[in-house]
Amino acid sequence: MSNPSLINSPALDNWIKLDADGTVHVCSGKVDIGQRISTALGVLVGEELEIDPARIVVDPPDTSYPDEGMTSGSNSMMHSGNAVRAAAATARRHLLTRAAAKLGSGVDALVMDDGLISIRDTNQSVTYREVLDNATFGIAVDPDVTLKSPADYRWIGKDSKPRNLRDMVTGAMIYLHDMVLPEMRHARCVRPPNRLARLVSLSAEKVARLEAEGITLIRDGSFLAVVGDDEYLVIRAAERLARAATWDGATINAADLYGQLTSNPRESRPVVDGTPQDAPVPPLHEPPANAALTHAARYDKPYIMHGSIGPSVAAAKADGVGGLEIWTHSQGIQPLKTSISEALGITPDNLLIQHVPGAGCYGHNGADDAAFDAALIALALPGRPVLLKWTRDDEHAWEPYASAMSMELRASLDTDGAVIDWSHECYSDTHLGRPRPMLGGEGASRLLAALHLENPAPPFRPNPSMSSHAGLHRNIDPYYTFPAVRAIKNLVRDLPLRTSALRCLGGYANIFALESMMDELARHTDADPVAFRLRHLDDPRARNVIEAAADGIGWSKDRDDGVGRGIAFSRYCNCKTYTAIAIELTVNDVAEIEICKAVCAADAGEVVDTAGLSMQLEGGVLQAISWTLYEEVLFDQDGINSRDWETYPILTFAQAPPVDVIILDRPGAPHLGAGEASSEPVAAAIANALFDAAGIRARRLPMTPYNLRQAAMYGDG
Amino acid sequence: MMSISLQVNGETHAIDVDPATPLLFVLRNYLGLTGAKLGCGLEQCGACAVLVDGQSTLSCSRAVSEFQGKVIATVESLAHGDQMSRVQQAFVGAGAAQCGYCIPGFVVAVTGMLESDPNPDAEAIQEALSSHLCRCGSHGRIKAAIDSLVGPRDAS
Ligand code: FES
Ligand code: FES
């Protein structure tokens, strides 16, 4: 088994520690971003070491912990989970072997329980600490170690108590937003009107007045911030500073976004089995001679945002002699460290980055940019720490969005109604704008404020990612068994907004297109959409989730008047969790969609934390319902117009439908990443249900009343 | 600056602060009560809700001076020692939190709702939570927590 986490950090002592009173600590480089990874890691270690998982301490990471890169792409359980599990199983084997020698007994006669190893039916025992002679393990993790068998599980797959839940409901949980450091001051930034605008001048008189009131102004090029002791006075000062600034009037190209997507310069790569190829793009040939039906359609998705409920925040302190400490809720503190040290020209040894929990972020939101903002401010004012908060306006207008995308599909069926030819091209900006490790000088380009400095970093110019399912081509490759597939990714240049990773990356839009197309084909041939999918699937686990979702929504039962049903499927990255979503909805006479019910059937391999998994799946469905029905970043040439929750509405409590989660557990099978899987098929399931209810084919997101009316007027059904 | 007298969680505080400062910042930065969260500062998300004379109230925009003479209770006051309130227990029982950032606001809103109407119908529940957003998709779990307190209500 090759696990990147173990290759980077092979020593068992990097993963598991026994402290003086025997408490077991797990050290993982993964940060807990509300997906309860720490709960799951505690369960895995507790299971192997026979200790109640609630008593396993999962330490929050800083940059001295195992380098696991990014907490993203649903990799936490696949990498960290499997690494921690292997570490714990190695520890178990090591403890039992040494205890056998110490107690003069065979390993088979030993029982392990709650910190104690004893010879069965005797009172001879040693503690785990004694077995180690109070030292560390001093061995490497064996990636191929035998794991405890599912038949012996005590905790895996049971509902475990989420960590921190109690603190969350009592208000005791400390987020980075709540942190108080000695002598701490507050800061806010003042941003340009848009990405390209630059500062021309500041009114000296207004600035002098602010300074006379005890506010400190930071300026480097077009990067502006205010610092002071009282948070509210700092907020007011930022508003006043914004009015004191004159910008150069540069504009962004806001005209015809979907036209830009397919006509701007681009770099194109064919994608084979999920992996982009360094090869010429094959032309779209004529449909095969035996095609009985050929159908083509284009699908569009706007820019959408992460929209964390807690705006990004960071704290930083410079010691004045070269050292810099940063507190962040970034998902990747090691890569952030590389980028910031490159951007500031500080050696990594002088930079310590600590992770403190923030609000849910769902990908690369403003967290990393805020960390860099705080670093710039702290360096300008060494000695006292600063806590920089982005405002709601900052978060909405400056977080790196999920790119707008267009997908052009064409499929041909034979006389028997089977797919014989398939083409899918997607057009998008990058989804990979995160700070990355080992950049070699370009780290700064990925940090927002670096573009605004007096000596700005060059604009970030992504290269097409060539990794499997990595970015805009995630899930472009159908999981269905089709005899001929042409899949093309187009990385589009010169688009108006800054973009990066949001849950599912390109997969959300690609599956919207793919699974809508499957529905269109089924309807064109009067095939049942469930049966049509099943006939093109060989993998029984894929078939099982589709059948389970169909059952859950009552697919074969009669529906009430006006109610539409739709289904969609994906296997995340074609190698992770299987998910099928079934939706029941109605449309009212002002073209608003009301979702009555959603069913999510998922197979994520062996389930460690059932409650946690089901909550993540449910959360992913609800967030994607929100994207699909309501969300679109609005902008014009002067800048972003979606600047708060009224101009960028998201799903409300009243609009949230019940979600039935059906988990198909596979004890003993590898853990498949599940953090993002359930969002992918949601848009198509809704589009397909909408067609079922109203005969309208929605090919442009979001499915607002306006877009539905357009589709009803100009669509071809 | 002005001295503001504020009654919070059963204690009276005299605070020297700009009277225009929104209540939330006084609670968090002057009294160390960080349970109420800053989410938008625009009365649009509900993260900052506290109880004012028993009613769930957004604290991020209205000036602290408006709250003199009122009884303010924050999420921190709802548990008694180790004993969580009924509402808090219901949230824990339903697993109603992912990142948890929105949750104190929801707990306060549900507490305030039940204080004025122990038997709310579906519409009253939706009304009570209409200014509360959750981005993690904990809506269903929050509904389950409320159902466990008042019994399931059919939305009409
Ligand atoms: S912070 Fe008060 S409503 Fe959002
Ligand atoms: S639990 Fe994260 S915003 Fe609600």
Side-chain angles (χ1 to χ4, degrees):
Chain A
M1 174 171 74
S2 97
N3 182 312
S5 298
L6 285 179
I7 293 167
N8 287 338
S9 218
L12 175 52
D13 294 302
N14 286 346
W15 296 93
I16 293 176
K17 294 189 172 78
L18 286 180
D19 71 14
D21 66 4
T23 305
V24 176
H25 292 254
V26 186
C27 316
S28 149
K30 294 294 180 190
V31 303
D32 203 327
I33 45 176
Q35 86 288 58
R36 309 212 319 177
I37 180 76
S38 55
T39 306
L41 296 181
V43 171
L44 291 175
V45 172
E47 188 69 69
E48 292 291 346
L49 296 182
E50 308 290 349
I51 293 177
D52 183 348
R55 299 215 324 279
I56 305 281
V57 177
V58 182
D59 293 326
D62 67 35
T63 42
S64 61
Y65 274 32
D67 180 0
E68 296 194 74
M70 215 56 81
T71 305
S72 70
S74 301
N75 288 330
S76 299
M77 282 310 288
M78 293 179 82
H79 295 166
S80 207
N82 292 330
V84 163
R85 179 84 186 270
T90 307
R92 176 191 181 93
R93 188 177 66 192
H94 185 68
L95 289 168
L96 284 170
T97 318
R98 287 190 53 144
K102 269 202 162 26
L103 294 170
S105 134
V107 166
D108 289 346
L110 297 180
V111 224
M112 199 173 187
D113 191 33
D114 202 20
L116 218 56
I117 299 175
S118 21
I119 305 180
R120 188 168 297 130
D121 303 326
T122 72
N123 52 12
Q124 289 187 59
S125 64
V126 278
T127 67
Y128 298 179
R129 287 277 298 175
E130 287 163 358
V131 171
L132 294 179
D133 297 322
N134 292 316
T136 54
F137 288 100
I139 56 170
V141 177
D142 174 1
D144 300 313
V145 64
T146 309
L147 307 175
K148 199 168 164 183
S149 123
D152 298 329
Y153 286 169
R154 296 166 70 186
W155 292 288
I156 289 180
K158 313 269 159 23
D159 278 358
S160 36
K161 295 221 169 32
R163 289 162 190 267
N164 298 335
L165 191 47
R166 185 192 170 91
D167 288 349
M168 287 173 182
V169 304
T170 57
M173 166 118 170
I174 298 296
Y175 297 84
L176 183 47
H177 309 68
D178 306 324
M179 200 170 71
V180 180
L181 295 163
E183 303 264 282
M184 183 180 91
R185 294 203 282 180
H186 291 273
R188 291 290 188 276
C189 291
V190 172
R191 307 277 179 196
N194 65 51
R195 205 164 62 86
L196 301 179
R198 292 294 173 266
L199 185 65
V200 175
S201 65
L202 283 176
S203 148
E205 183 198 341
K206 288 181 180 157
V207 166
R209 237 180 286 148
L210 281 174
E211 287 177 337
E213 292 169 27
I215 296 290
T216 307
L217 176 75
I218 311 282
R219 177 178 176 184
D220 184 338
S222 296
F223 176 75
L224 291 176
V226 284
V227 183
D229 293 329
D230 182 273
E231 186 175 11
Y232 176 63
L233 296 181
V234 168
I235 293 173
R236 289 236 304 243
E239 289 162 4
R240 285 161 62 194
L241 183 62
R243 291 194 291 273
T246 307
W247 305 91
D248 65 5
T251 56
I252 54 178
N253 181 4
D256 187 18
L257 172 62
Y258 295 113
Q260 289 190 49
L261 270 165
T262 41
S263 59
N264 277 12
R266 58 181 183 248
E267 286 196 51
S268 308
R269 299 282 186 280
V271 179
V272 178
D273 289 336
T275 307
Q277 310 290 310
D278 241 330
V281 170
L284 183 60
H285 51 67
E286 288 297 310
N290 58 335
L293 170 89
T294 293
H295 179 57
R298 171 179 171 148
Y299 305 85
D300 299 310
K301 178 217 141 215
Y303 290 102
I304 57 178
M305 63 175 77
H306 302 76
S308 179
I309 290 295
S312 297
V313 55
K317 183 183 173 190
D319 60 13
V321 289
L324 181 64
E325 202 171 343
I326 299 173
W327 293 263
T328 176
H329 53 101
S330 161
Q331 283 185 307
I333 51 181
Q334 298 282 4
L336 176 63
K337 181 171 169 172
T338 315
S339 298
I340 290 187
S341 75
E342 279 180 4
L344 296 174
I346 299 183
T347 61
D349 288 348
N350 282 328
L351 194 55
L352 178 66
I353 303 197
Q354 301 203 39
H355 181 264
V356 182
C361 62
Y362 329 106
H364 176 207
N365 74 341
D368 299 85
D369 295 325
F372 185 57
D373 292 341
L376 291 172
I377 297 167
L379 285 172
L381 297 171
R384 289 174 68 180
V386 286
L387 181 66
L388 166 78
K389 286 182 189 154
W390 280 22
T391 61
R392 175 48 52 202
D393 184 85
D394 288 334
E395 190 77 19
H396 267 61
W398 292 97
E399 65 148 278
Y401 304 121
S403 181
M405 287 179 68
S406 292
M407 287 67 58
E408 291 175 336
L409 275 74
R410 197 192 71 185
S412 300
L413 306 183
D414 64 14
T415 46
D416 186 34
V419 173
I420 48 171
D421 188 58
W422 187 269
S423 171
H424 181 152
E425 289 210 43
C426 66
Y427 302 82
S428 170
D429 205 331
T430 185
H431 296 255
L432 304 170
R434 290 177 185 275
R436 279 256 169 313
M438 292 169 291
L439 289 165
E442 50 147 321
S445 298
R446 298 172 187 244
L447 297 165
L448 172 64
L451 309 171
H452 296 151
L453 299 179
E454 183 72 51
N455 293 312
F460 171 51
R461 191 181 160 82
N463 290 315
S465 160
M466 302 302 279
S467 307
S468 174
H469 291 275
L472 62 102
H473 57 286
R474 180 164 292 173
N475 279 100
I476 190 178
D477 200 17
Y479 197 66
Y480 298 102
T481 311
F482 295 155
V485 172
R486 172 181 178 271
I488 313 293
K489 69 177 281 189
N490 296 283
L491 175 63
V492 182
R493 302 293 184 193
D494 309 328
L495 289 168
L497 307 182
R498 176 174 174 250
T499 61
S500 192
L502 169 64
R503 198 174 205 167
C504 302
L505 309 190
Y508 167 68
N510 284 326
I511 292 293
F512 164 54
L514 193 168
E515 285 291 306
S516 293
M517 189 59 157
M518 286 299 279
D519 202 73
E520 296 191 33
L521 294 173
R523 312 249 177 201
H524 276 299
T525 53
D526 285 325
D528 173 71
V530 169
F532 184 70
R533 285 176 171 78
L534 294 180
R535 75 176 283 185
H536 290 98
L537 279 171
D538 297 329
D539 181 346
R541 291 172 73 176
R543 302 167 59 92
N544 288 350
V545 293
I546 292 177
E547 286 159 352
D551 262 8
I553 204 87
W555 190 260
S556 51
K557 299 202 183 98
D558 289 342
R559 57 208 73 182
D560 292 340
D561 264 1
V563 173
R565 279 190 204 132
I567 195 160
F569 158 82
S570 77
R571 182 170 189 199
Y572 194 50
C573 299
N574 288 1
C575 66
K576 299 185 188 179
T577 293
Y578 302 80
T579 317
I581 304 286
I583 294 276
E584 231 176 51
L585 59 72
T586 58
V587 192
N588 67 17
D589 43 17
V590 287
E592 289 165 345
I593 292 176
E594 190 188 326
I595 309 237
C596 319
K597 181 179 171 182
V599 176
C600 167
D603 169 352
E606 176 182 87
V607 179
V608 177
D609 169 10
T610 309
L613 174 62
S614 119
M615 172 167 250
Q616 260 188 62
L617 292 167
E618 180 174 342
V621 171
L622 289 171
Q623 189 171 100
I625 287 175
S626 183
W627 297 342
T628 302
L629 295 186
Y630 312 113
E631 298 186 30
E632 171 168 21
V633 175
L634 300 172
F635 61 100
D636 60 24
Q637 60 168 13
D638 296 321
I640 303 296
N641 293 321
S642 294
R643 302 190 83 109
D644 59 22
W645 294 124
E646 263 161 29
T647 45
Y648 189 87
I650 61 172
L651 183 78
T652 64
F653 190 80
Q655 291 160 338
V659 180
D660 283 355
V661 175
I662 301 166
I663 294 175
L664 307 181
D665 193 4
R666 306 279 180 197
H671 311 297
L672 303 174
E676 304 165 277
S678 65
S679 301
E680 268 193 348
V682 168
I686 297 176
N688 300 341
L690 172 70
F691 187 82
D692 191 49
I696 299 171
R697 181 52 69 181
R699 298 200 185 95
R700 175 167 294 178
L701 300 177
M703 297 183 208
T704 52
Y706 175 82
N707 279 344
L708 293 197
R709 277 189 219 107
Q710 295 290 108
M713 253 183 304
Y714 306 112
D716 54 6
Chain B
M1 294 292 149
M2 192 171 126
S3 179
I4 298 277
S5 164
L6 218 53
Q7 200 191 319
V8 182
N9 298 347
E11 279 178 51
T12 306
H13 302 267
I15 304 151
D16 274 327
V17 64
D18 182 329
T21 307
L23 174 62
L24 178 68
F25 296 94
V26 176
L27 296 172
R28 292 175 53 86
N29 297 337
Y30 288 75
L31 302 178
L33 296 166
T34 54
K37 304 293 176 211
L38 175 57
C40 65
L42 305 165
E43 300 191 331
Q44 292 178 352
C45 77
C48 62
V50 298
L51 294 170
V52 177
D53 294 337
Q55 283 219 336
S56 178
T57 305
L58 302 176
S59 67
C60 61
S61 295
R62 284 167 58 195
V64 63
S65 54
E66 287 182 44
F67 294 90
Q68 297 197 85
K70 308 221 186 262
V71 177
I72 298 161
T74 68
V75 68
E76 286 93 340
S77 71
L78 301 180
H80 295 287
D82 267 358
Q83 183 67 28
M84 288 186 287
S85 73
R86 271 178 73 221
V87 173
Q88 288 168 326
Q89 288 173 27
F91 271 67
V92 171
Q98 292 187 60
C99 79
Y101 199 84
C102 66
I103 293 301
F106 275 99
V107 167
V108 165
V110 173
T111 304
M113 168 184 77
L114 294 179
E115 227 155 278
S116 61
D117 179 2
N119 208 7
D121 59 17
E123 227 168 282
I125 294 172
Q126 290 192 353
E127 176 58 34
L129 300 184
S130 62
S131 51
H132 291 258
L133 298 176
C134 171
R135 187 57 161 167
C136 295
S138 301
H139 310 70
R141 302 303 176 100
I142 295 169
K143 277 186 189 157
I146 298 173
D147 286 351
S148 75
L149 290 162
V150 303
R153 295 288 192 267
D154 278 341
S156 48

PDB file of all heavy atoms in Angstrom, chain A residues 645, chain B residues 24 37-49 58-61 131, ligand 1:
ATOM      1  N   TRP A 645     -25.489  38.332   2.222  1.00  0.00           N
ATOM      2  CA  TRP A 645     -26.398  37.196   2.071  1.00  0.00           C
ATOM      3  C   TRP A 645     -27.702  37.584   1.374  1.00  0.00           C
ATOM      4  O   TRP A 645     -28.508  36.710   1.060  1.00  0.00           O
ATOM      5  CB  TRP A 645     -26.692  36.563   3.439  1.00  0.00           C
ATOM      6  CG  TRP A 645     -25.503  35.929   4.072  1.00  0.00           C
ATOM      7  CD1 TRP A 645     -24.987  36.211   5.308  1.00  0.00           C
ATOM      8  CD2 TRP A 645     -24.667  34.882   3.543  1.00  0.00           C
ATOM      9  NE1 TRP A 645     -23.887  35.420   5.563  1.00  0.00           N
ATOM     10  CE2 TRP A 645     -23.676  34.609   4.505  1.00  0.00           C
ATOM     11  CE3 TRP A 645     -24.663  34.167   2.348  1.00  0.00           C
ATOM     12  CZ2 TRP A 645     -22.688  33.641   4.305  1.00  0.00           C
ATOM     13  CZ3 TRP A 645     -23.679  33.206   2.155  1.00  0.00           C
ATOM     14  CH2 TRP A 645     -22.722  32.955   3.121  1.00  0.00           C
TER      15      TRP A 645
ATOM     16  N   LEU B  24     -22.798  43.045  20.315  1.00  0.00           N
ATOM     17  CA  LEU B  24     -21.966  41.856  20.122  1.00  0.00           C
ATOM     18  C   LEU B  24     -20.506  42.101  20.495  1.00  0.00           C
ATOM     19  O   LEU B  24     -19.862  41.282  21.150  1.00  0.00           O
ATOM     20  CB  LEU B  24     -22.055  41.393  18.659  1.00  0.00           C
ATOM     21  CG  LEU B  24     -21.186  40.180  18.303  1.00  0.00           C
ATOM     22  CD1 LEU B  24     -21.694  38.929  19.001  1.00  0.00           C
ATOM     23  CD2 LEU B  24     -21.161  39.948  16.790  1.00  0.00           C
ATOM     24  N   LYS B  37     -21.398  34.693  17.901  1.00  0.00           N
ATOM     25  CA  LYS B  37     -20.355  34.823  16.876  1.00  0.00           C
ATOM     26  C   LYS B  37     -20.615  36.005  15.953  1.00  0.00           C
ATOM     27  O   LYS B  37     -21.768  36.365  15.693  1.00  0.00           O
ATOM     28  CB  LYS B  37     -20.310  33.562  16.009  1.00  0.00           C
ATOM     29  CG  LYS B  37     -20.103  32.269  16.770  1.00  0.00           C
ATOM     30  CD  LYS B  37     -18.730  32.213  17.404  1.00  0.00           C
ATOM     31  CE  LYS B  37     -18.545  30.970  18.234  1.00  0.00           C
ATOM     32  NZ  LYS B  37     -17.633  31.208  19.366  1.00  0.00           N
ATOM     33  N   LEU B  38     -19.515  36.536  15.406  1.00  0.00           N
ATOM     34  CA  LEU B  38     -19.628  37.527  14.341  1.00  0.00           C
ATOM     35  C   LEU B  38     -19.667  36.771  13.007  1.00  0.00           C
ATOM     36  O   LEU B  38     -18.693  36.114  12.635  1.00  0.00           O
ATOM     37  CB  LEU B  38     -18.421  38.472  14.382  1.00  0.00           C
ATOM     38  CG  LEU B  38     -18.321  39.510  13.264  1.00  0.00           C
ATOM     39  CD1 LEU B  38     -19.570  40.381  13.201  1.00  0.00           C
ATOM     40  CD2 LEU B  38     -17.087  40.381  13.446  1.00  0.00           C
ATOM     41  N   GLY B  39     -20.796  36.838  12.325  1.00  0.00           N
ATOM     42  CA  GLY B  39     -20.920  36.133  11.049  1.00  0.00           C
ATOM     43  C   GLY B  39     -21.042  37.094   9.887  1.00  0.00           C
ATOM     44  O   GLY B  39     -20.459  36.901   8.835  1.00  0.00           O
ATOM     45  N   CYS B  40     -21.821  38.150  10.072  1.00  0.00           N
ATOM     46  CA  CYS B  40     -22.002  39.098   8.966  1.00  0.00           C
ATOM     47  C   CYS B  40     -21.970  40.545   9.447  1.00  0.00           C
ATOM     48  O   CYS B  40     -21.583  41.427   8.706  1.00  0.00           O
ATOM     49  CB  CYS B  40     -23.312  38.811   8.235  1.00  0.00           C
ATOM     50  SG  CYS B  40     -24.786  39.075   9.235  1.00  0.00           S
ATOM     51  N   GLY B  41     -22.423  40.793  10.673  1.00  0.00           N
ATOM     52  CA  GLY B  41     -22.506  42.175  11.126  1.00  0.00           C
ATOM     53  C   GLY B  41     -23.617  42.941  10.435  1.00  0.00           C
ATOM     54  O   GLY B  41     -23.656  44.172  10.485  1.00  0.00           O
ATOM     55  N   LEU B  42     -24.527  42.231   9.761  1.00  0.00           N
ATOM     56  CA  LEU B  42     -25.553  42.878   8.937  1.00  0.00           C
ATOM     57  C   LEU B  42     -26.955  42.409   9.286  1.00  0.00           C
ATOM     58  O   LEU B  42     -27.885  42.655   8.531  1.00  0.00           O
ATOM     59  CB  LEU B  42     -25.285  42.549   7.459  1.00  0.00           C
ATOM     60  CG  LEU B  42     -23.905  42.893   6.907  1.00  0.00           C
ATOM     61  CD1 LEU B  42     -23.671  42.177   5.585  1.00  0.00           C
ATOM     62  CD2 LEU B  42     -23.773  44.397   6.725  1.00  0.00           C
ATOM     63  N   GLU B  43     -27.099  41.683  10.378  1.00  0.00           N
ATOM     64  CA  GLU B  43     -28.391  41.102  10.762  1.00  0.00           C
ATOM     65  C   GLU B  43     -28.944  40.191   9.680  1.00  0.00           C
ATOM     66  O   GLU B  43     -30.137  40.169   9.406  1.00  0.00           O
ATOM     67  CB  GLU B  43     -29.393  42.206  11.130  1.00  0.00           C
ATOM     68  CG  GLU B  43     -28.896  43.049  12.288  1.00  0.00           C
ATOM     69  CD  GLU B  43     -29.961  43.979  12.869  1.00  0.00           C
ATOM     70  OE1 GLU B  43     -30.859  44.397  12.124  1.00  0.00           O
ATOM     71  OE2 GLU B  43     -29.882  44.270  14.083  1.00  0.00           O
ATOM     72  N   GLN B  44     -28.062  39.427   9.047  1.00  0.00           N
ATOM     73  CA  GLN B  44     -28.518  38.528   7.973  1.00  0.00           C
ATOM     74  C   GLN B  44     -28.294  37.055   8.244  1.00  0.00           C
ATOM     75  O   GLN B  44     -28.789  36.223   7.481  1.00  0.00           O
ATOM     76  CB  GLN B  44     -27.792  38.880   6.664  1.00  0.00           C
ATOM     77  CG  GLN B  44     -28.171  40.216   6.073  1.00  0.00           C
ATOM     78  CD  GLN B  44     -27.368  40.511   4.799  1.00  0.00           C
ATOM     79  OE1 GLN B  44     -26.443  39.796   4.454  1.00  0.00           O
ATOM     80  NE2 GLN B  44     -27.746  41.586   4.121  1.00  0.00           N
ATOM     81  N   CYS B  45     -27.513  36.679   9.280  1.00  0.00           N
ATOM     82  CA  CYS B  45     -27.154  35.258   9.389  1.00  0.00           C
ATOM     83  C   CYS B  45     -27.517  34.596  10.709  1.00  0.00           C
ATOM     84  O   CYS B  45     -27.576  33.372  10.789  1.00  0.00           O
ATOM     85  CB  CYS B  45     -25.672  35.067   9.107  1.00  0.00           C
ATOM     86  SG  CYS B  45     -24.583  35.548  10.468  1.00  0.00           S
ATOM     87  N   GLY B  46     -27.698  35.355  11.767  1.00  0.00           N
ATOM     88  CA  GLY B  46     -28.129  34.763  13.028  1.00  0.00           C
ATOM     89  C   GLY B  46     -27.025  34.289  13.964  1.00  0.00           C
ATOM     90  O   GLY B  46     -27.312  33.873  15.094  1.00  0.00           O
ATOM     91  N   ALA B  47     -25.774  34.343  13.540  1.00  0.00           N
ATOM     92  CA  ALA B  47     -24.686  33.800  14.370  1.00  0.00           C
ATOM     93  C   ALA B  47     -24.540  34.546  15.697  1.00  0.00           C
ATOM     94  O   ALA B  47     -23.990  34.011  16.659  1.00  0.00           O
ATOM     95  CB  ALA B  47     -23.369  33.853  13.593  1.00  0.00           C
ATOM     96  N   CYS B  48     -25.028  35.774  15.754  1.00  0.00           N
ATOM     97  CA  CYS B  48     -24.771  36.641  16.893  1.00  0.00           C
ATOM     98  C   CYS B  48     -25.935  36.702  17.885  1.00  0.00           C
ATOM     99  O   CYS B  48     -25.950  37.558  18.774  1.00  0.00           O
ATOM    100  CB  CYS B  48     -24.510  38.054  16.388  1.00  0.00           C
ATOM    101  SG  CYS B  48     -25.964  38.707  15.532  1.00  0.00           S
ATOM    102  N   ALA B  49     -26.911  35.793  17.745  1.00  0.00           N
ATOM    103  CA  ALA B  49     -28.138  35.921  18.552  1.00  0.00           C
ATOM    104  C   ALA B  49     -27.871  35.756  20.046  1.00  0.00           C
ATOM    105  O   ALA B  49     -27.091  34.911  20.460  1.00  0.00           O
ATOM    106  CB  ALA B  49     -29.170  34.892  18.089  1.00  0.00           C
ATOM    107  N   LEU B  58     -30.737  39.687  17.468  1.00  0.00           N
ATOM    108  CA  LEU B  58     -29.440  39.791  16.798  1.00  0.00           C
ATOM    109  C   LEU B  58     -28.653  40.936  17.425  1.00  0.00           C
ATOM    110  O   LEU B  58     -29.184  42.032  17.621  1.00  0.00           O
ATOM    111  CB  LEU B  58     -29.643  40.015  15.301  1.00  0.00           C
ATOM    112  CG  LEU B  58     -30.468  38.909  14.618  1.00  0.00           C
ATOM    113  CD1 LEU B  58     -30.714  39.229  13.149  1.00  0.00           C
ATOM    114  CD2 LEU B  58     -29.789  37.556  14.771  1.00  0.00           C
ATOM    115  N   SER B  59     -27.386  40.671  17.741  1.00  0.00           N
ATOM    116  CA  SER B  59     -26.629  41.654  18.528  1.00  0.00           C
ATOM    117  C   SER B  59     -25.539  42.352  17.732  1.00  0.00           C
ATOM    118  O   SER B  59     -24.793  43.152  18.279  1.00  0.00           O
ATOM    119  CB  SER B  59     -25.993  40.955  19.740  1.00  0.00           C
ATOM    120  OG  SER B  59     -24.995  40.045  19.302  1.00  0.00           O
ATOM    121  N   CYS B  60     -25.442  42.080  16.413  1.00  0.00           N
ATOM    122  CA  CYS B  60     -24.262  42.556  15.688  1.00  0.00           C
ATOM    123  C   CYS B  60     -24.368  43.975  15.171  1.00  0.00           C
ATOM    124  O   CYS B  60     -23.373  44.549  14.739  1.00  0.00           O
ATOM    125  CB  CYS B  60     -23.958  41.623  14.522  1.00  0.00           C
ATOM    126  SG  CYS B  60     -25.289  41.531  13.311  1.00  0.00           S
ATOM    127  N   SER B  61     -25.572  44.541  15.166  1.00  0.00           N
ATOM    128  CA  SER B  61     -25.696  45.869  14.571  1.00  0.00           C
ATOM    129  C   SER B  61     -26.219  46.930  15.532  1.00  0.00           C
ATOM    130  O   SER B  61     -25.788  48.080  15.475  1.00  0.00           O
ATOM    131  CB  SER B  61     -26.631  45.810  13.350  1.00  0.00           C
ATOM    132  OG  SER B  61     -26.064  45.012  12.353  1.00  0.00           O
ATOM    133  N   SER B 131     -34.011  33.980  10.313  1.00  0.00           N
ATOM    134  CA  SER B 131     -32.813  34.795  10.080  1.00  0.00           C
ATOM    135  C   SER B 131     -31.537  34.024  10.401  1.00  0.00           C
ATOM    136  O   SER B 131     -30.488  34.632  10.583  1.00  0.00           O
ATOM    137  CB  SER B 131     -32.885  36.084  10.892  1.00  0.00           C
ATOM    138  OG  SER B 131     -33.185  35.782  12.231  1.00  0.00           O
TER     139      SER B 131
HETATM  140  S1  FES C   1     -23.577  38.382  12.745  1.00  0.00           S
HETATM  141 FE1  FES C   1     -25.442  39.172  13.386  1.00  0.00          FE
HETATM  142  S2  FES C   1     -26.816  38.374  12.011  1.00  0.00           S
HETATM  143 FE2  FES C   1     -24.913  37.791  11.167  1.00  0.00          FE
END
